[in-house]
Amino acid sequence: MPKLVGINHVALEVGDVEEALEWYGRIFDFGPPEREPGMAFIDMGDQFIALSEGRRQPRDDSRHFGLVVDDKAATRAALEAAGAEILPGRRLNFRDPWGNLVQVVAYEDIQFTKAPEILSGMALELEKSDQALAELRAKRLA
């Protein structure tokens, strides 16, 4: 049977692609997106987020996806400055203006790992916490 290897991208439905690029651009640093009619692609090194115009479903209450960032505290500050709906709780969860639920996690705290050459190409130097390294070692991945 085939093995799951990773996630290439996540597609988000938004009301308007240009508004979504402007809104997410107030929170995250990303370069000029690739485009297709009704879509834009935000690059994250070897992965991307696809913004698709035309939200056709109600807001997400529990369905979500996780974004990995280099600085969780700076992300919270940018979300607050953008007036994002930050959900209460110990995690950093927010809902974008189109109802997409996003959970933000810090690279250092999770098992997800970018290859060194990808991090270098993204001009990032990131380390893992002892706990994240222990979790990776337990799975024989570090």
Side-chain angles (χ1 to χ4, degrees):
M1 292 183 66
K3 287 189 176 198
L4 292 171
V5 177
I7 295 174
N8 174 259
H9 70 278
V10 171
L12 298 180
E13 290 182 339
V14 296
D16 178 271
V17 169
E18 296 308 317
E19 287 178 22
L21 286 170
E22 190 277 327
W23 192 83
Y24 276 100
R26 285 188 278 154
I27 299 160
F28 301 109
D29 179 19
F30 55 85
E34 292 186 34
R35 296 174 182 265
E36 288 182 9
M39 295 192 80
F41 307 94
I42 297 173
D43 184 61
M44 298 184 298
D46 57 347
Q47 300 168 307
F48 62 94
I49 297 173
L51 300 177
S52 178
E53 197 160 292
R55 180 79 179 186
R56 293 180 270 285
Q57 54 194 331
R59 74 182 206 156
D60 298 321
D61 289 324
S62 60
R63 179 183 54 194
H64 69 280
F65 75 101
L67 276 180
V68 181
V69 298
D70 64 337
D71 188 331
K72 190 173 169 182
T75 302
R76 178 179 289 279
L79 286 164
E80 290 170 351
E85 178 187 354
I86 300 174
L87 281 65
R90 63 180 183 89
R91 294 191 168 99
L92 179 51
N93 295 336
F94 72 91
R95 193 173 283 111
D96 74 12
W98 303 276
N100 296 298
L101 184 57
V102 182
Q103 185 174 93
V104 177
V105 295
Y107 181 85
E108 66 189 10
D109 295 332
I110 61 165
Q111 296 176 34
F112 168 81
T113 305
K114 290 270 194 193
E117 56 273 15
I118 301 296
L119 286 173
S120 176
M122 296 176 74
L124 292 171
E125 292 183 25
L126 302 174
E127 301 293 327
K128 292 290 182 190
S129 68
D130 290 339
Q131 181 178 342
L133 288 171
E135 291 171 2
L136 287 165
R137 281 193 293 275
K139 291 184 175 184
R140 298 179 187 202
L141 297 174

